[in-house]
Amino acid sequence: MMLLVCAVASLMSGASAQFDADVLILGAGYAGLSAASVLAKHNISFIIIEGNWRIGGRAWSVMFGGKMVEVGSMGLHGPEASINNTVSNYNITGKYVDYESVVVKSHQGQALDTQAEAAWTKLQNAQKIVKNLYREIKEGKIADMSMRVALENGQWFPRTPLEDVIEIYDYDFEFSKVPALMSTRGFQSVSDIQDKMFLSTDQRGLQDVMERFASSFMNTSGPQIKLFESVDSINHTDTSVSVSTTGGTTFMGKYAIVTFSMGVLKSNNDMFNPPLPAWKLDTIYKTNMNAYTQIYVKFASTVTNFWGSEQYILHAHPRRGYYPIIINLEAMGFFPTGTNILLFVVTGEEARRVDRERNATVKAEVTAVLKGMYGQETPEPERVFVAGWTGNPYTLGSFTSRQVGDDGNPRFMEALKSRVGRVYFAGEAYDDVMDGFLEGASRSGKHTGVKLWECMMDNKCPQFNPSPPTPPPSPTTCEAPLLSLPLATLLACMMAVFLK
Ligand SMILES: Cc1cc2nc3c(=O)[nH]c(=O)nc-3n(C[C@H](O)[C@H](O)[C@H](O)COP(=O)(O)OP(=O)(O)OC[C@H]3O[C@@H](n4cnc5c(N)ncnc54)[C@H](O)[C@@H]3O)c2cc1C
């Protein structure tokens, strides 16, 4: 009898479903964890569903050559105060990089530092023009343009391998795409906020920072986190969201927050049922997922430093983007001398190519590059480790950055960030200013957590409206009520009456 009463009461309230939690958070990267921290603060129940065996997402640390190295994010970007805050909260060992600590070498070993000075000056002059153009773009006076067009306005036309690699250092290295695809508005708005990077050499790894952050508000080995659960369908109705995984488990929640990368969303958007509306899909397709590959190179302990003491080594090669940047992880303040680890970074199409190559091929290419730069007697590395993300099914790329065409205007961003029914979104790609970075993931996760909380508490649940009502055209005839007329028309009407 009691059961019958409960069933009737439940039917009357419309709550026929059994919820596993109020909110299902899909993905345990920094955005998912940050959203969870907000819900935890407000005592809203959640379950985090993660396909991988670990939390942290694109913050992932592994042992290589006797050191803990970063497979994904290796540092903190953002406003200096925010970086310092994270560094001191988590007691992270590391150092701010010095982008001025750089040498340039040709692929045949020629030191190009003197010629590089002239090229930097030329580029810096162009960058002054780019900043002026950006100001006009921001003020709405002119449309966004590619960084290539903006730089050409400043008379920057790279014609030599040296100029190419200098351009890569300032642009591709940061936004992971060529200037022709880069939005000037997007690039400059990020550089306005941050031009500093704190490189972590912490031997617990940045992944451990994620774990410590999660432990501050939840039990990371408790029932609130489900690892090894790869989501393959998200079914949403007016009253619930049910999420199924490839292992056959189904979770039921009142809401969901999806934090999958843009790469995953682009390739698997058929996981949503009903499908995402066109206005949402449009923003997802326009948000470009980049390729950025880190190649760790370890030399035997018998090898003595042949690469020098500067933090960055640029490799000027006739093929633009061919292993252009080497980070000297033994530069002062990073790893101790004798660690013998260099880090190569490749971006864009070259990164996609390298990700697909076999380890042995990459090792042979890196060895040839080093022999070209430092002489044929240069020792072969003992091991290389390619940290490629384009083939990783849980990311399908490295991080996003604004591309020209997705001009980051407020309406675009509103649609990108908007919920679709009971499904909310968060991740590095959704932040207006720090998209692409850990800081952006955290900001976006917290923002979405607060939005969902406001929806649950106060029923404030705004959703993007693809066709907002157009304001009625302003009346133009003198028959209209006088107070509804624009000032110029009103004056003209009064003048006409006066002249009659
Ligand atoms: C090589 C590289 C270098 C970087 N360098 C820096 C840097 O120096 N500084 C910086 O600030 N940022 C850097 N970043 C960017 C930074 O790491 C990301 O912006 C940030 O980690 C993204 O967090 P997120 O929570 O938005 O996404 P993610 O970390 O990708 O989290 C999403 C989670 O969803 C999970 N998931 C995906 N699909 C499914 C599925 N179907 N089912 C279940 N789970 C799924 C994933 O496994 C992942 O855990 C770098 C990134 C890369 C790849």
Side-chain angles (χ1 to χ4, degrees):
M1 182 61 182
M2 191 58 191
L3 265 178
L4 187 64
V5 171
C6 288
V8 171
S10 148
L11 277 176
M12 283 173 66
S13 71
S16 55
Q18 188 63 48
F19 296 112
D20 294 295
D22 285 337
V23 183
L24 306 176
I25 299 176
L26 312 188
Y30 204 12
L33 298 176
S34 301
S37 73
V38 172
L39 301 182
K41 192 168 118 197
H42 295 294
N43 292 319
I44 293 173
S45 66
F46 62 84
I47 291 179
I48 303 180
I49 302 165
E50 167 58 53
N52 243 316
W53 72 92
R54 58 179 178 86
I55 67 170
R58 281 170 270 170
W60 178 21
S61 320
V62 297
M63 287 303 287
F64 171 78
K67 285 281 163 204
M68 183 69 89
V69 298
E70 301 299 339
V71 184
S73 176
M74 59 183 310
L76 306 173
H77 289 80
E80 204 173 338
S82 160
I83 297 179
N84 290 342
N85 204 20
T86 311
V87 168
S88 79
N89 277 352
Y90 292 97
N91 191 19
I92 304 172
T93 314
K95 187 181 158 180
Y96 278 101
V97 299
D98 174 7
Y99 290 115
E100 308 268 304
S101 172
V102 57
V103 283
V104 191
K105 263 182 165 306
S106 82
H107 70 298
Q108 290 168 324
Q110 196 190 355
L112 296 176
D113 300 303
T114 316
Q115 298 93 312
E117 280 305 319
W120 291 121
T121 308
K122 210 157 68 162
L123 181 55
Q124 277 155 9
N125 287 337
Q127 285 166 342
K128 289 182 195 144
I129 305 290
V130 173
K131 281 197 174 149
N132 291 341
L133 289 170
Y134 170 59
R135 204 168 307 125
E136 294 193 28
I137 294 169
K138 222 166 53 168
E139 288 166 5
K141 292 185 182 152
I142 55 173
D144 190 24
M145 61 186 80
S146 75
M147 185 53 81
R148 169 65 64 230
V149 171
L151 286 169
E152 285 181 356
N153 269 269
Q155 296 299 297
W156 170 256
F157 302 98
R159 292 196 175 102
T160 62
L162 168 68
E163 288 172 342
D164 276 347
V165 79
I166 278 174
E167 180 182 270
I168 290 171
Y169 188 54
D170 271 19
Y171 293 97
D172 308 37
F173 186 36
E174 170 90 24
F175 255 40
S176 216
K177 53 162 71 85
V178 290
L181 296 177
M182 215 175 266
S183 148
T184 300
R185 180 209 294 258
F187 184 88
Q188 288 303 137
S189 59
V190 172
S191 347
D192 264 9
I193 293 180
Q194 66 86 28
D195 58 356
K196 291 203 171 271
M197 177 199 179
F198 182 91
L199 189 137
S200 164
T201 48
D202 199 297
Q203 286 305 288
R204 293 163 294 182
L206 283 182
Q207 193 184 319
D208 182 69
V209 170
M210 297 292 133
E211 277 158 20
R212 281 186 280 153
F213 170 55
S215 310
S216 68
F217 60 86
M218 65 184 278
N219 174 0
T220 52
S221 21
Q224 272 174 306
I225 177 120
K226 310 285 181 198
L227 300 176
F228 296 107
E229 292 285 6
S230 187
V231 172
D232 68 356
S233 79
I234 301 169
N235 302 291
H236 52 118
T237 69
D238 289 344
T239 50
S240 66
V241 183
S242 90
V243 168
S244 304
T245 66
T246 49
T249 318
T250 298
F251 299 92
M252 186 71 95
K254 293 179 187 162
Y255 296 90
I257 300 178
V258 177
T259 71
F260 301 158
S261 77
M262 279 294 147
V264 170
L265 285 184
K266 281 171 202 271
S267 309
N268 302 302
N269 67 63
D270 57 351
M271 67 167 67
F272 292 88
N273 181 26
L276 293 177
W279 57 262
K280 186 73 178 184
L281 278 178
D282 181 56
T283 60
I284 291 172
Y285 283 118
K286 281 186 181 153
T287 304
N288 193 221
M289 189 69 173
N290 301 314
Y292 180 105
T293 297
Q294 313 193 128
I295 304 147
Y296 286 92
V297 175
K298 164 81 178 167
F299 295 92
S301 53
T302 48
V303 171
T304 46
N305 178 330
F306 57 84
W307 51 86
S309 58
E310 305 292 349
Q311 294 182 11
Y312 292 94
I313 304 158
L314 306 190
H315 168 230
H317 190 276
R319 180 162 137 194
R320 190 187 187 283
Y322 190 71
Y323 298 100
I325 291 167
I326 307 170
I327 306 178
N328 171 13
L329 288 179
E330 262 191 38
M332 203 156 55
F334 298 154
F335 291 151
T337 307
T339 305
N340 283 2
I341 299 178
L342 294 178
L343 171 58
F344 283 64
V345 175
V346 281
T347 60
E349 290 314 309
E350 275 296 326
R352 282 179 222 283
R353 181 190 71 80
V354 168
D355 279 2
R356 286 192 299 261
E357 295 290 4
R358 288 178 314 122
N359 224 45
T361 308
V362 178
K363 186 173 172 208
E365 288 183 351
V366 161
T367 306
V369 165
L370 290 171
K371 284 183 187 291
M373 292 171 83
Y374 296 101
Q376 286 309 309
E377 62 291 351
T378 306
E380 197 175 310
E382 231 176 20
R383 286 200 297 138
V384 304
F385 166 57
V386 181
W389 292 83
T390 52
N392 183 326
Y394 291 125
T395 54
L396 295 172
S398 54
F399 47 83
T400 65
S401 61
R402 301 271 167 247
Q403 76 179 358
V404 67
D406 138 21
D407 57 5
N409 70 50
R411 221 171 131 65
F412 176 90
M413 290 307 293
E414 196 195 327
L416 178 67
K417 288 195 247 180
S418 175
R419 70 186 174 96
V420 172
R422 289 183 165 248
V423 181
Y424 283 68
F425 294 83
E428 51 86 3
Y430 303 83
D431 190 56
D432 305 79
V433 284
M434 287 303 296
D435 48 301
F437 297 97
L438 279 170
E439 170 85 3
S442 160
R443 281 166 48 109
S444 164
K446 287 186 181 145
H447 173 86
T448 301
V450 169
K451 288 280 153 209
L452 180 48
W453 173 66
E454 286 173 355
C455 176
M456 293 173 81
M457 290 303 115
D458 304 331
N459 219 18
K460 276 195 230 145
C461 320
Q463 178 171 299
F464 179 74
N465 179 358
S467 41
T470 39
S474 33
T476 49
T477 72
C478 299
E479 277 95 60
L482 282 186
L483 284 180
S484 69
L485 292 174
L487 186 61
T489 319
L490 176 68
L491 290 175
C493 291
M494 286 169 71
M495 187 64 86
V497 171
F498 177 71
L499 289 176
K500 248 189 199 170

